[in-house]
Amino acid sequence: MDNNKNEKINILADLLFPDISETIDVLKKKFPERNIDKNSEVTRFAPSPTGFLHTGSLFTALVSFLTAKTTNGVFYIRLEDTDTKRKVENSENSFLKELKIFNIIADEGIEEGGKYAPYKQSERIKIYHTVIKELIKKELAYVCFCTAEDLDEIRDIQKANKQITGYYGNYARCRYLSIDEVINRVKNNEHYVIRFKSNGNHENKIKLYDEIRKFISIAENDIDIVILKKDGLPTYHFAHVVDDHFMHTTTVIRGEEWISSFPIHAQLFSALNWKMPKYAHLPLISKNDNGKKRKLSKRFDPEATVNFFLQEGYPIESVLAYLMSIINNSFEEWVLKKKFKDMFSFPFSINKINLDSTLFDIKKLKFFSREFLSTISAEEMTKRVLEYAQTYDKNLEALIQKDKKFFTQIMNIERNQDNPRKDYFAFKYIEKTIAFFYDEKYDTMFKNGIIFDEKIDKKIVIDALKDFLEVNNVSILENEWFDLMKTIALKNNFAINNKEYKENSHNFVGNMADFINIIRVAITGSKISPNLYCVLKILGKNKVANRVQKNILQLGAK
Ligand code: GLU
């Protein structure tokens, strides 16, 4: 470069960034290498504040967190808030809150602070400007005054010529402006962006390494991408490279939607002469939409936002277990054996991530939920349901608070045993299952009409209930109680032996299950309920008698 040109470039650089006196070298000293083991990973979660935490983002955060945790590394959170069009005010707080709920705790970040602060991109503008100023001086970046109309025109020409569209090669008009013109136009306050000068060729295939997918063969980038927007803020591409460099990220873990811009990032690292971190592009959590696989979308799928799981009352362990089962096939067996204890100690490895099973599967989530909830004590269950209710369901809260012991007894039904019941999967639906325990709820059900099995004559139902009333006693053991039920069933001509019933069903009014269901329907209003003996025990003799009597009267009156 001749001296004159050199001088002019320096003038331009100062004109563009009058406040920047630091250099990349100064930044290097400010943000020195991390003092960590060779094998420890530094990972990050870099959300944009778009108003909600996407389920896929929780997945990304979880994988990043586990990668750092299992290697004694560092996991940090960086807020990528430079896209002012997409930004939703205050949404960063809900992000952070939700991550904490899921026990994904950062070592450094917006709230925690840390040696590499600030962790919010909007507060790192000076850093980006410092790097860009140097790129300008090295002629690796340039000022572009093209308007939206100019870009449209270029695109139209390229389309007509059947060429790839974009700002590259000879189409990158502003690349070729003289420095004098650029200086004048900047001085005249013309709007501009700053572009990176690509030396790539789209026809070259380059190989980039991904920790999950191994080598990816992809076209080299030849587009002169915008690195600094009109508003003075950097684009994602540029901020990502600068931040992950100065924060010393060892593995960039992000969604696979970024694979297409991976060549841009590789090129920026190379132009800046910085060592590239490792990259892992995670599969997107998707949905099968009439045979087509598509990304979970907030607009169509409630389960696309993390808030959905919280509102429904899925225990966090089951959501995490579900996401971890996507990561690794052998996780399910491991976590069930460990009864969900210490889940984050799973021997996790990023390159074992399964790329095939990312279809969101609510059945699987429910499975993990039922399993998890069956492993905790009744007291813990009550505590969790209450916590849920306090935020999301005031009626349920009042119901529990009225008599916590009673609620805990209900939660304890067939819990402390080898094969505990798996009735519950999300707290929101618990009330419906257990409402009949509460007299006021039962009374409403009764008013709305209790429906007995229509194939059994009403008179038989009344007689069965009357006989049951005679022996209404649950102060005996369950097997004794069941024997007692058999005697009344027999007396009312129900078959207590199923084989006999199958062979000669016309000789009986029903079988033992039909008989028990009469009692069950009278007491709970439904053919489906937890273990009836336990229900009777919790309700107590008087309430049971009351309900049976009401039904006898009602049936008799009809
Ligand atoms: N801010 C980007 C996003 O929200 C993050 C991508 C990355 O992790 O680098 O998609």
Side-chain angles (χ1 to χ4, degrees), residues 44 46-48 78 80 86 236 240 252-254 257-258:
R44 85 298 194 269
S48 301
R78 177 174 75 225
E80 305 211 321
R86 288 173 66 207
Y236 165 75
H240 145 53
V252 170
I253 297 169
R254 61 184 181 184
E257 71 267 35
W258 296 108

Side-chain angles (χ1 to χ4, degrees), residues 205-216:
K205 283 260 182 282
I206 52 167
K207 275 197 170 152
L208 293 173
Y209 192 78
D210 176 275
E211 296 299 310
I212 306 169
R213 294 148 214 269
K214 312 303 167 208
F215 279 106
I216 303 174

Side-chain angles (χ1 to χ4, degrees), residues 148-337:
E149 293 74 36
D150 293 331
L151 298 178
D152 284 346
E153 188 193 315
I154 293 173
R155 196 172 313 117
D156 289 344
I157 300 171
Q158 289 167 331
K159 275 189 182 156
N161 291 344
K162 297 203 163 35
Q163 287 171 308
I164 296 175
T165 56
Y167 207 82
Y168 62 89
N170 289 334
Y171 290 110
R173 291 174 186 169
C174 292
R175 238 189 205 226
Y176 309 103
L177 298 177
S178 73
I179 299 184
D180 290 326
E181 181 177 347
V182 177
I183 291 177
N184 279 337
R185 289 173 75 172
V186 173
K187 278 188 178 160
N188 280 338
N189 290 327
E190 256 190 67
H191 284 310
Y192 64 84
V193 298
I194 294 183
R195 290 183 184 269
F196 172 68
K197 199 185 275 178
S198 169
N199 59 1
N201 177 349
H202 199 80
E203 276 160 22
N204 284 350
K205 283 260 182 282
I206 52 167
K207 275 197 170 152
L208 293 173
Y209 192 78
D210 176 275
E211 296 299 310
I212 306 169
R213 294 148 214 269
K214 312 303 167 208
F215 279 106
I216 303 174
S217 175
I218 192 165
E220 195 173 26
N221 173 57
D222 63 351
I223 307 276
D224 287 353
I225 57 137
V226 174
I227 54 176
L228 198 72
K229 297 178 289 181
K230 278 198 184 87
D231 56 10
L233 297 173
T235 52
Y236 165 75
H237 302 307
F238 187 69
H240 145 53
V241 168
V242 171
D243 291 344
D244 283 313
H245 173 71
F246 285 117
M247 292 177 168
H248 303 284
T249 307
T250 58
T251 305
V252 170
I253 297 169
R254 61 184 181 184
E256 68 186 359
E257 71 267 35
W258 296 108
I259 291 182
S260 58
S261 36
F262 196 4
I264 296 176
H265 307 144
Q267 203 175 44
L268 284 170
F269 271 107
S270 153
L272 284 157
N273 217 355
W274 290 342
K275 181 171 179 266
M276 212 164 100
K278 291 179 279 182
Y279 280 82
H281 292 93
L282 298 181
L284 297 180
I285 301 200
S286 48
K287 183 123 186 178
N288 191 339
D289 197 350
N290 289 324
K292 265 202 205 127
K293 211 171 153 180
R294 64 162 171 77
K295 185 182 169 187
L296 272 188
S297 119
K298 190 190 174 203
R299 216 144 64 93
F300 306 116
D301 318 307
E303 67 272 30
T305 72
V306 167
N307 203 22
F308 166 79
F309 304 109
L310 301 175
Q311 275 172 356
E312 293 277 294
Y314 281 96
I316 56 145
E317 287 82 350
S318 62
V319 179
L320 288 171
Y322 169 62
L323 293 177
M324 288 178 77
S325 76
I326 295 181
I327 297 173
N328 192 309
N329 284 339
S330 55
F331 178 76
E332 180 176 330
E333 201 187 323
W334 182 90
V335 81
L336 294 180
K337 213 191 249 159

